[in-house]
């Protein structure tokens, strides 16, 4: 524990580094996956192509990805940007399927009636399909957030500072407390981001709780005999 | 006035849902399309707001061929109410009712105020305005659906089995409410149902459909009951059985009406004037 108290500044700095490495990929993967997921959900042909391609992306082992990426995008081998791009690719790979599934989960009757009362394709997407896929998107985003935070530790190996640097450094110098701190802080950060997403979901998707409130309400009341 | 001129619809899979259908639907009247499931009612209804485009023939609204109108704009000018309300589950009741005015660019405040007034019109408590659709009963949801359909004060109201999924008591209530509304508002209503009783109750003009949108008979409820065009119609409306097939029995010096199951339907009072509902047999 003394190591922790003596190195609070270091831990805080690595935590910020870690956030800077992992938050942009989470946001970017959501934004990029939206049009791709929409396309995958829209046409049968594009669905097969896009979902297979994104599945394959996720199957690329992370280490070769870090080596090949700089050559492909023209960054230097030790640039943190490599990690951000790699994490975004993994995030997109996960999110595309989530977006496609989320859009597909929207009730067909609701969609039809939205068209019938005069939503255009554009307003229908933003005002009906997207919000109604919210619960599915949120669940997917939580997975992406946690996996991104955990994957970001790998950055330490290619020189991008993060909480992962605490355990690489700890290993090299034989400081057990530093290793443990790195692991615990990573887990805490993942939990924190997850909690933030859940809170954001509560704000953004109020109707999902309304339904539960009614059910809870119904459970509290004694059953009333209804005779037609 | 809505006019179907030799309209056909063949879906890409080959199904001929509507085959050479012609009909005039007078303004400010309720026309009911009634037929069994699969007879093409929904397809016909959806052709009026261009959810479905005919593969042959044309449809005119007040003399304008709707093929020349922009579908989204057309839909925003026509009320649409469907079974299971089709309300947006993520919007509060008041916002659901305000949906189409908002799409048409009415300022938010005015749209919401109008929506509250519309709740009064359809007999809903304003206290429900801030609920989500899932927090309403089926009957209340349908009322909200009707309020949403009426929110832009459209000339035309399309209703696709709007009361099909609620229990009989609530259905009867909603039917009476629609009759009241229609007396006040005088919309051109196109109402689709598979229930003959509902068709006769609500329709000024009733269109009985067979497979492929073929018209078996058009007329007022009284016309159809008095003179079913053929055996199909007679059997479809149940003119030959149950509570519609009444006969007179003399009982203690008075005429009573008895149905084909022998159940008492009522007494015969006064003389029947022309135009009144006649009974078969
Ligand atoms: N999108 C579609 N694609 C193919 N066939 C359809 C489609 N919509 C309806 N049909 C077919 O057209 C016929 C009429 O359907 P519909 O208009 O829904 O009848 P109803 O509303 O009277 O039950 C049915 O045979 C139905 O299966
Ligand atoms: Mg139908």
């Amino acid at each position: 524990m003394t190591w922790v108290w003596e190195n609070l500044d270091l831990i805080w700095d690595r935590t910020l580094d870690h956030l800077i490495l992992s938050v942009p990929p989470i946001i970017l993967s959501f934004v990029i996956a939206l049009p791709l997921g929409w396309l995958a959900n829209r046409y049968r042909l594009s669905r097969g192509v896009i979902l297979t391609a994104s599945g394959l992306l996720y199957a690329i082992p992370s280490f070769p990805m870090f080596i090949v990426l700089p050559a492909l995008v023209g960054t230097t081998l030790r640039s943190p940007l490599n990690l951000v791009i790699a994490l975004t690719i993994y995030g997109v790979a996960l999110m595309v399927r989530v977006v496609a599934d989320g859009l597909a989960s929207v009730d067909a009757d609701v969609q039809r009636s939205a068209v019938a009362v005069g939503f255009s394709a554009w307003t229908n997407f933003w005002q009906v399909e997207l919000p109604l896929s919210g619960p599915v998107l949120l669940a997917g985003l939580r997975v992406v957030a946690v996996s991104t935070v955990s994957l970001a530790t790998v950055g330490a190996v290619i020189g991008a500072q993060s909480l992962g640097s605490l355990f690489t450094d700890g290993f090299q110098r034989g400081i057990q407390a530093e290793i443990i701190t790195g692991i615990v802080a990573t887990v805490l950060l993942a939990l924190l981001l997850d909690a933030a997403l859940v809170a954001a979901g509560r704000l953004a998707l109020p109707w999902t709780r309304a339904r539960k409130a009614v059910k809870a309400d119904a459970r509290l009341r004694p059953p009333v005999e209804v005779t037609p | 006035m809505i006019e179907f001129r030799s309209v056909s619809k063949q879906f890409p899979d080959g199904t001929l849902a509507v085959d050479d259908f012609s009909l005039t639907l007078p303004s400010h009247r309720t026309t009911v399309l009634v037929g069994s499931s699969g007879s093409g009612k929904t397809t016909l209804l959806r052709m009026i707001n261009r959810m479905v485009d005919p593969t042959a023939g044309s449809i005119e609204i007040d003399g304008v061929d709707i093929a020349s109108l922009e579908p989204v704009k057309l839909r925003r000018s026509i009320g649409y109410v469907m079974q299971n309300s089709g309300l947006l589950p993520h919007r509060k009741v008041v916002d659901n009712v305000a949906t189409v005015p908002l799409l048409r660019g009415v300022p938010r405040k005015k749209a919401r105020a109008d929506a509250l007034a519309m709740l009064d019109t359809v007999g809903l408590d304003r206290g429900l305005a801030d609920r989500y659709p899932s927090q309403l009963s089926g009957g209340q949801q349908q009322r909200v659906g009707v309020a949403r359909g009426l929110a832009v004060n459209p000339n035309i109201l399309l209703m696709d089995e709007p009361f099909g999924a609620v229990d009989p008591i609530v259905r009867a209530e909603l039917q009476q409410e629609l009759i009241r509304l229609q007396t006040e508002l005088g919309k051109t209503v196109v109402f689709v149902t598979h229930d003959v009783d509902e068709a006769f109750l609500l329709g000024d003009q009733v269109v009985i459909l067979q497979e492929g949108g073929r018209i078996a008979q058009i007329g007022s409820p009284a016309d159809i009951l008095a003179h079913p065009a053929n055996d199909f119609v007679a059997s479809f409306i149940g003119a030959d059985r149950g509570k519609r097939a009444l006969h007179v029995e003399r009982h203690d010096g008075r005429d009573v009406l008895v149905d084909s199951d022998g159940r008492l339907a009522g007494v015969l009072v006064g003389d029947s004037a022309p135009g009144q509902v006649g009974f078969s047999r």
Side-chain angles (χ1 to χ4, degrees), chain A residues 46-59:
Chain A
S46 55
R47 179 178 182 88
V49 173
I50 291 174
L51 292 187
T52 310
S54 62
L56 287 177
L57 275 185
Y58 200 73

Side-chain angles (χ1 to χ4, degrees), chain B residues 197 225 234-249 257-266 279-281:
Chain B
D197 293 322
L225 257 176
S235 124
F236 186 76
I237 65 177
D240 53 353
R241 60 179 187 273
K243 66 182 165 70
R244 275 203 231 289
L246 305 179
H247 61 274
V248 178
E249 276 177 17
L257 290 169
V258 178
D259 73 15
S260 70
D261 300 326
R263 268 190 290 268
L264 196 65
F279 295 97
S280 69
R281 242 191 257 170

